[in-house]
């Protein structure tokens, strides 16, 4: 079974940066798209960044220009570089992949203090 495992979450001050990594149990080439979603308390989970197998990226408007998603096929990882973090970015961040069946990781907490 495909597994996605996130790492890199933590506590940072507003304006700071974090890098989240998602490690897949198998080749990420199995996914036609991968990405990151987040869920804040009391809110719906939302996709914030996606990357296709061909390298095409999409970002939620709220993170555009601040977050960058990238892929390392050799390491079977997907990375979310988060810069200029804001308190409203505070959420549990989940790695996502579609084969097109959707898979989600267990999540990693990101907390941005004001």
């Amino acid at each position: 079974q495909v597994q996605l495992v996130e790492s890199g979450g933590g506590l940072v001050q507003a304006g700071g940066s974090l890098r989240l990594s998602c490690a897949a149990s198998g080749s990420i080439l199995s996914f036609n798209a991968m990405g990151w979603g987040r869920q804040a308390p009391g809110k719906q989970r939302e996709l914030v960044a996606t990357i296709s197998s061909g390298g095409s990226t999409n970002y939620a408007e709220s993170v555009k220009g601040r977050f960058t998603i990238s892929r390392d096929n050799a390491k079977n990882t997907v990375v979310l570089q988060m810069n200029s973090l804001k308190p409203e970015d505070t959420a549990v961040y989940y790695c996502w992949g579609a084969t097109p069946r959707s898979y989600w990781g267990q999540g990693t907490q990101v907390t941005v203090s004001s």
Side-chain angles (χ1 to χ4, degrees):
Q1 291 292 318
V2 173
Q3 288 187 307
L4 301 171
V5 180
E6 305 95 333
S7 62
L11 173 65
V12 296
Q13 290 187 316
S17 298
L18 279 175
R19 184 172 66 92
L20 305 182
S21 295
C22 172
S25 60
S27 173
I28 62 172
L29 297 177
S30 299
F31 298 97
N32 53 51
M34 298 191 74
W36 290 88
R38 67 185 182 186
Q39 187 166 24
K43 297 186 178 180
Q44 297 291 325
R45 186 177 298 184
E46 62 172 339
L47 280 172
V48 298
T50 61
I51 184 167
S52 72
S53 59
S56 179
T57 59
N58 289 100
Y59 299 93
E61 189 67 28
S62 59
V63 308
K64 194 173 297 182
R66 300 186 298 119
F67 291 10
T68 302
I69 188 169
S70 60
R71 179 188 65 209
D72 189 331
N73 293 336
K75 296 181 179 179
N76 293 316
T77 59
V78 174
V79 169
L80 185 68
Q81 178 66 47
M82 305 185 295
N83 298 324
S84 302
L85 284 162
K86 304 175 181 179
E88 50 262 46
D89 294 319
T90 295
V92 177
Y93 283 71
Y94 298 88
C95 185
W96 166 83
T99 62
R101 175 183 172 180
S102 289
Y103 296 85
W104 292 94
Q106 83 289 340
T108 185
Q109 177 71 47
V110 171
T111 302
V112 184
S113 62
S114 59

